[in-house]
């Protein structure tokens, strides 16, 4: 795989997604935060700061998830439906470069969106003089980026071999299940049924454990009580490795497709 060629393709993907007016989402986020900033103290004066901290990160998560799923599942299918894939594969571009560039391009878009939303979020926190840990917030946003990048890899992988609609539904299902995989294992143990235990253990091994990349509660309610640097590095490595394996699967599936 040619790294330079992959980065050029990723830049094209980035520019293509940006041209779809995806950055308007930043204004939408600012509007939601402004409304929450004014409305939350009216309903919860005592814990308004914590609620606002939670809402800001939660909305950032939801917006990023929607972009990762809806854009990610259509990146490959859009090329197939428009038949532009025939032009691309006729050029000296390997299919692994094609898939990797899609992933890197959309990940870059998510990075820009999260950076812009984080600046808006921190601006409101500073303006309101709320008590918060900037380091905890930035680490939580960094891990949110890893989580969304992993979901992007899921979306692209599913979009390679099925329609955008089905891939979208399946990616949302993976996201929801991935956030409760540890709870599923505990549920299997409580059931005391060997069959259910094996099923929940299997789901835990197959599905991504997204709770390892979710630090919102630690940042909002724990403030300084984030996991140790070793645990953070292990969890970050887990997210990157899982994304790499998904992309490898996507490349294998894409190699077997005929156009």
């Amino acid at each position: 795989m040619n790294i330079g060629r992959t980065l050029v393709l990723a830049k094209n993907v980035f520019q293509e997604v940006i041209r779809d007016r995806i950055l308007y989402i930043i204004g939408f986020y600012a509007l939601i935060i402004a409304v929450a900033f004014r409305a939350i103290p009216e309903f919860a004066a005592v814990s308004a700061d914590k609620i606002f901290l939670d809402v800001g990160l939660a909305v950032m998560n939801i917006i990023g998830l929607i972009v990762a799923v809806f854009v990610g599942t259509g990146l490959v299918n859009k090329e197939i439906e428009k038949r532009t894939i025939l032009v691309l594969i006729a050029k000296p571009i390997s299919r692994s470069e094609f898939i990797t560039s899609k992933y890197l391009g959309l990940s870059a878009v998510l990075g820009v969106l999260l950076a812009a939303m984080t600046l808006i979020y921190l601006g409101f926190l500073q303006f309101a003089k709320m008590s918060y840990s900037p380091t905890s917030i930035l680490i939580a946003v960094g891990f949110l980026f890893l989580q969304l990048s992993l979901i992007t890899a899921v979306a692209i992988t599913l979009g390679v071999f099925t329609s955008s609609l089905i891939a979208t539904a399946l990616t949302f299902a993976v996201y929801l299940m991935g956030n409760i995989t540890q709870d599923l294992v505990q549920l299997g143990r409580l059931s005391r049924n060997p069959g259910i235990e094996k099923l929940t253990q299997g789901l835990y091994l197959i599905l991504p454990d997204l709770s390892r990349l979710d630090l919102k509660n630690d940042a909002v309610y724990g403030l300084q009580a984030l996991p140790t640097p070793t645990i953070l590095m292990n969890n970050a490595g887990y997210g990157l490795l899982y994304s790499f394996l998904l992309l490898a699967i996507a490349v294998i599936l894409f190699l077997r497709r005929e156009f």
Side-chain angles (χ1 to χ4, degrees), residues 69-133:
V69 174
F70 283 99
V71 178
T73 53
L75 280 177
V76 176
N77 275 320
K78 184 167 64 174
E79 301 283 3
I80 296 173
E81 290 169 2
K82 291 182 177 180
R83 312 304 294 173
T84 52
I85 188 66
L86 299 174
V87 178
L88 288 171
I89 61 176
K91 294 181 178 180
I93 299 170
S94 69
R95 298 197 182 193
S96 60
E97 291 171 351
F98 176 79
I99 294 295
T100 305
S101 66
K102 295 291 185 183
Y103 171 77
L104 293 177
L106 182 51
S107 294
V109 172
L110 289 170
V112 170
L113 287 176
L114 287 178
M117 289 189 289
T118 300
L119 287 175
I120 294 169
Y121 178 56
L122 293 177
F124 273 97
L125 293 178
Q126 284 292 109
F127 177 76
K129 297 181 180 178
M130 294 183 185
S131 176
Y132 71 99
S133 168

Side-chain angles (χ1 to χ4, degrees), residues 184-199:
L184 286 174
V185 173
Q186 294 298 326
L187 182 63
R189 290 171 181 167
L190 291 173
S191 70
R192 299 185 183 279
N193 185 312
I196 295 177
E197 281 193 60
K198 287 183 180 179
L199 175 62

